[in-house]
């Protein structure tokens, strides 16, 4: 055990600066990691965490500053060199290949992989050892998100790393799967391996990590021992301001606006999840939160509700009228608006201006097209109204959607839908990749719309978000929707079970 | 053995010859597409190979040097495509179409003065073994390029399936962002794959001008490159199906020629379209059953790779 007793410094980072055109991603960042330590890197989206770890992993070169690994100068020119020095990384958006099998995926992340047969045996052995069972011959495309993460972790572990970097590892896991992961990580730490753990989830960091470095706008603003701080203190260090939770009004919900009965649709994506017999109703003035681990049918549910996927006429009813057989425009006319997860390319056309993007979804409800001719004056006014009302930071409405930052574009997309005076609103991951204050604004806007009499469905993988704004809560698991329950009185364990428990994965068998 | 006045042995032997150019071009394009780059310039690379091979063979008197020059010519064309699409990040479809037009034009320019010349003959590899009954014409009766094409199909299959280089190539075609994040050089892999594709297409083109026809005429590839592209797709990016597809196409081509010669009462136009229709029909039926994943289309095919960090 190197983690206890004699404390050895594993990695030091001194005065690292990295600038991109227009943004300083990291400015004079310094911290150090001990052997066997679980070190948290905490910060909001855009605080520079990812850039920092990409430099440690050799994907990006720092402009200035230096790093040492076990006392030696450490300047990885590429990930290969980093891996050779004992640094491994599990990515936030998995770096896996869906059409290849587990063993092939693992081999791609290794320098000198043994032949396939031998490698498969080692994958089995190591995965059993750490309580993460995996079948080496399965296609990665067929695995759940939790299992995919195992592939990444096993790939790293086979290299015997001294430092394991984990970028937001729990964002795709159920609470039970998080427990399994934490058990594995503690086992690794006990073996003397250091872990650099990146997250913005405070409770996780308080449970797992020994030390924390907090980044804000590319700078280190604090170092602390997370167990000694409250989640609120950590959050305020991270955000740099006090946050106001969204305000609710306790109005009783109105009549049912959206009624979904026995909705089953096939996924258009070969690795997607088909919806199986989904039932739900949403009343006016109510927010229904739908949780679930990524890839359990969220995208398909949004498509089926927005009209991109069609179903039987009576499977989807708006205000009592069957619309299941209608496409998106007809459903917009009937009062349903939707904002999908993918901002660029699905919710917005990347190379078109904000005005044009406003027209694309607002044309029908806002009457922007007359006799086949576009009323550009009204369209521009509409777009400007969205920009103003939702505080979208942009040089003007003529700017291409691609040029906006993720958070600003998300505010525009949500604003565009909410500004159409809809009866039913469906949003998927409304605050994904959006900074805390913009996320708070979006949540408040959704609550305000519900208070004004709209029926709102929020599909999200962020449980805290759902618990904060939803009135009722249900979860998608393998394309099936659990029965909705009132949010008040729900426990995290119950939520975890609704999300599918540990997806049949076993808890790590501790071994001495 | 004969059927309706058509000798089956001769038919099989000649279909192997007729299929070779398409098979070569298709197996090369398969590798390029497996790496994720869609090069629609196969036709242009073939015709450049046809004229480069023809000129080199005529000037040196050596068909082997001709085929080497053809491979080089095709590879240079592919390198041009790689430079435009991988470095300048141009649109792959438009660039591929331009490459075809460019190749057709450049080949007629290069081919000025080579019309009506006969190239040096490419000898049969096994000499008198080819005179054996039945197996002679089919197994031993060909020149070396036919065997090379079969070896390339087998080799491509084995490399893609069993070697690390093949795995990296498939990974790059499947998810170039992930491959980049793991530290693989996406552009280098794609450029090499494209050049292999160009070299194969070039040899395929030279096979037309040096063996199959054998002489130089403008636009002599006559759409063979497009058929090769179609075969790759309908073969679900699987090397053995490329062989099958090419042989079906070659077989029906030869067969319809014989049927025409035998004076069968079917309009010539219908017979001439038969190879295209039947090849595509067979491969569509084979690939129609399952979804994209099972068909093996590389997920990053045709997408522009731009390293964002």
């Amino acid at each position: 055990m190197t983690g206890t007793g004699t404390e050895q410094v594993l990695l030091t980072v001194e005065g690292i600066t990295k600038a991109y055109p227009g943004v300083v991603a990291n400015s004079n960042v310094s911290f150090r990691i001990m052997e066997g330590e679980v070190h948290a890197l905490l910060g909001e989206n855009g605080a520079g965490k990812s850039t920092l770890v990409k430099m440690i992993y050799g994907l990006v070169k720092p402009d200035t500053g230096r790093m040492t690994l076990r006392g030696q100068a450490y300047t990885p020119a590429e990930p290969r060199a980093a891996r050779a020095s004992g640094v491994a990384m599990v990515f936030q958006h998995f770096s896996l290949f869906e059409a290849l099998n587990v063993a092939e995926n693992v081999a791609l992340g290794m320098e000198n992989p043994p032949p396939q047969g031998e490698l498969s045996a080692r994958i089995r052995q190591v995965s059993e050892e750490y309580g993460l069972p995996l079948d080496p011959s399965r296609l990665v495309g067929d695995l759940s998100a939790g299992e995919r993460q195992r592939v990444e972790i096993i790939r790293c572990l086979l290299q015997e790393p001294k430092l394991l970097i984990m970028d937001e590892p729990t964002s795709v896991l159920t609470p039970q799967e998080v427990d399994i992961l934490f058990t594995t990580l503690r086992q690794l730490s006990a073996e003397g391996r250091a872990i650099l753990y990146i997250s913005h989830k405070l409770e996780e960091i308080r449970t797992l990590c020994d030390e924390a470095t907090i980044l804000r706008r590319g700078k280190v603003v604090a170092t602390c021992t997370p167990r000694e701080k409250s989640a609120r203190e950590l959050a305020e260090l991270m955000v740099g301001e006090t946050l106001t939770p969204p305000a609710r009004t306790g109005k009783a919900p109105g009549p049912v606006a959206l009624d979904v009965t026995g909705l089953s649709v096939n996924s258009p994506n070969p690795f997607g999840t088909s919806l199986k017999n989904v039932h739900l109703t949403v009343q006016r003035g109510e927010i229904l939160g739908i949780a679930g681990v990524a890839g359990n049918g969220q995208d398909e549910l949004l498509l089926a509700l927005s009209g991109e996927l069609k179903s039987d006429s009576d499977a989807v009813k708006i205000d009592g009228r069957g619309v299941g057989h209608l496409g998106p425009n007809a459903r917009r006319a009937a009062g349903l608006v939707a904002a999908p997860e993918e901002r660029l390319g699905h919710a917005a056309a990347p190379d078109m201006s904000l005005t044009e993007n406003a027209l694309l979804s607002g044309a029908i409800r806002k009457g922007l097209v007359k006799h086949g001719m576009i009323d550009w004056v009204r369209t521009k006014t509409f777009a400007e109204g969205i920009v103003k009302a939702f505080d979208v930071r942009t040089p003007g409405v003529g700017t291409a959607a691609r040029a906006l930052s993720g958070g600003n574009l998300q505010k525009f997309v949500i604003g565009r839908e909410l500004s159409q005076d809809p009866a039913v609103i469906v949003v998927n991951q409304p605050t994904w990749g959006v900074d805390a204050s913009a996320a708070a604004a979006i949540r408040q806007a959704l609550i305000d719309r519900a208070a004004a009499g709209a029926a709102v469905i929020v599909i999200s993988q962020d449980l805290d978000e759902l618990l904060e704004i939803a009135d009722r809560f249900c979860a998608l698991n393998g394309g099936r929707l659990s029965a909705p329950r009132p949010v008040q009185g729900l426990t995290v364990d119950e939520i975890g079970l609704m999300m599918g428990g540990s997806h049949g994965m076993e808890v790590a068998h501790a071994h001495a | 053995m004969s059927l309706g006045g058509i000798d089956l042995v001769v038919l099989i032997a000649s279909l192997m010859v007729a299929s070779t150019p398409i098979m070569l071009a298709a197996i090369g394009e398969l590798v390029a597409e497996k790496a994720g780059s869609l090069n629609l310039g196969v036709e242009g690379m073939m015709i450049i190979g046809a004229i480069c091979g023809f000129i080199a063979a005529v000037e040196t008197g050596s068909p082997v040097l001709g085929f080497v020059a053809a491979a080089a010519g095709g590879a240079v064309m592919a390198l041009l495509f790689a430079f435009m699409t991988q470095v300048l990040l141009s649109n792959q479809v438009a660039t591929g179409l331009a490459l075809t037009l460019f190749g057709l034009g450049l080949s007629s320019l290069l081919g000025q003065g080579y019309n009506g010349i006969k190239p040096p003959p490419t000898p049969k590899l096994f000499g008198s073994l080819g005179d054996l009954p039945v197996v002679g014409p089919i197994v031993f009766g060909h020149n070396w390029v036919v065997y090379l094409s079969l070896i390339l199909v087998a080799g491509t299959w084995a490399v893609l399936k069993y070697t690390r280089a093949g795995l990296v190539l498939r990974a790059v075609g499947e998810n170039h962002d992930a491959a980049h994040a793991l530290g693989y050089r996406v552009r280098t892999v794609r450029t090499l794959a494209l050049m292999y594709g160009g070299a194969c297409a070039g040899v395929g083109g030279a096979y037309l001008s040096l063996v199959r026809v054998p002489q130089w005429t403008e636009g002599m590839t006559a759409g063979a490159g497009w058929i090769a592209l179609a075969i790759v797709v309908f073969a679900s990016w699987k090397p053995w199906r490329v062989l099958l597809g090419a042989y079906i196409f070659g077989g029906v081509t030869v067969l319809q020629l014989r049927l025409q010669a035998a004076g069968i009462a079917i309009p010539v136009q219908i017979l001439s379209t038969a190879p295209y229709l039947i090849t595509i029909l067979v491969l569509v039926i084979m690939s129609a059953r399952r979804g994209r994943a099972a068909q093996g289309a590389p997920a990053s095919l045709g997408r522009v790779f731009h390293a964002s960090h």
Side-chain angles (χ1 to χ4, degrees), chain A residues 7 43 100 135 194 203 224 231 290 368 418 467 498:
Chain A
E7 289 274 293
L100 306 182
D135 178 355
E203 283 305 336
C224 63
I290 298 181
L368 303 176
L418 299 191
L467 296 176
M498 286 165 92

Side-chain angles (χ1 to χ4, degrees), chain B residues 17-28 42-43 45-51 66-67 70-71 74 145 148-149 152 196-213 220-221 224-225 228:
Chain B
V17 173
S19 310
T20 298
I22 293 163
M23 191 157 75
L24 281 163
I27 200 70
V42 180
E43 179 86 0
M45 300 188 299
M46 277 186 92
I47 193 111
I48 286 291
I51 187 60
F67 279 106
V145 186
L148 175 74
S149 70
L152 283 179
Y196 175 77
C200 287
V203 173
Y207 193 81
L208 286 171
S209 63
L210 293 180
V211 181
R212 180 117 163 85
V213 176
M220 67 182 301
T221 45

Side-chain angles (χ1 to χ4, degrees), chain A residues 199-251:
Chain A
S199 183
H200 58 251
K201 296 191 181 170
L202 307 165
E203 283 305 336
E204 273 175 13
I205 284 177
R206 292 188 63 237
T207 340
L208 182 74
C209 300
D210 304 316
E211 283 292 317
T213 298
I214 300 169
L215 287 179
R216 192 196 314 149
R217 301 212 182 104
K219 293 198 175 90
V220 175
V221 291
T223 7
C224 63
T225 306
R227 282 187 194 92
E228 295 165 1
K229 300 269 179 193
S230 72
R232 192 178 178 83
E233 284 174 303
L234 289 174
E236 289 180 1
L237 281 172
M238 181 166 95
V239 181
E241 57 184 276
T242 33
L243 292 170
T244 40
R248 305 296 314 265
T249 53
K251 262 173 48 181

Side-chain angles (χ1 to χ4, degrees), chain B residues 186-202:
Chain B
V186 174
R187 285 179 192 161
T188 312
V189 170
R190 290 201 170 150
T191 302
L192 292 175
L194 280 165
M195 287 178 72
Y196 175 77
C200 287

Side-chain angles (χ1 to χ4, degrees), chain B residues 1-121:
Chain B
M1 279 198 290
S2 74
L3 205 70
I6 295 167
D7 187 334
L8 277 183
V9 172
V10 175
L11 183 74
I12 292 172
S14 49
L15 85 81
M16 290 176 74
V17 173
S19 310
T20 298
I22 293 163
M23 191 157 75
L24 281 163
I27 200 70
E29 177 67 10
L30 179 138
V31 170
E33 292 193 11
K34 268 289 186 188
S37 30
L38 180 67
N39 185 355
L40 295 185
V42 180
E43 179 86 0
M45 300 188 299
M46 277 186 92
I47 193 111
I48 286 291
I51 187 60
C52 287
F54 192 83
I55 293 174
V58 167
E59 298 300 335
T60 63
S62 156
V64 174
L65 284 180
F67 279 106
V68 170
V76 167
M77 288 286 280
L79 192 61
L80 188 65
F81 178 86
F83 176 71
M84 304 236 277
T85 57
Q86 304 302 311
V87 180
L88 304 181
L89 304 180
S90 69
N91 177 291
Q92 299 191 12
V93 171
T95 311
L97 294 176
L99 196 71
T100 289
L101 296 175
F102 173 62
L104 289 170
L106 183 65
S107 64
S108 10
L109 181 68
L110 293 173
Q112 298 282 336
Y114 285 93
N115 286 321
I117 301 178
K118 229 176 151 38

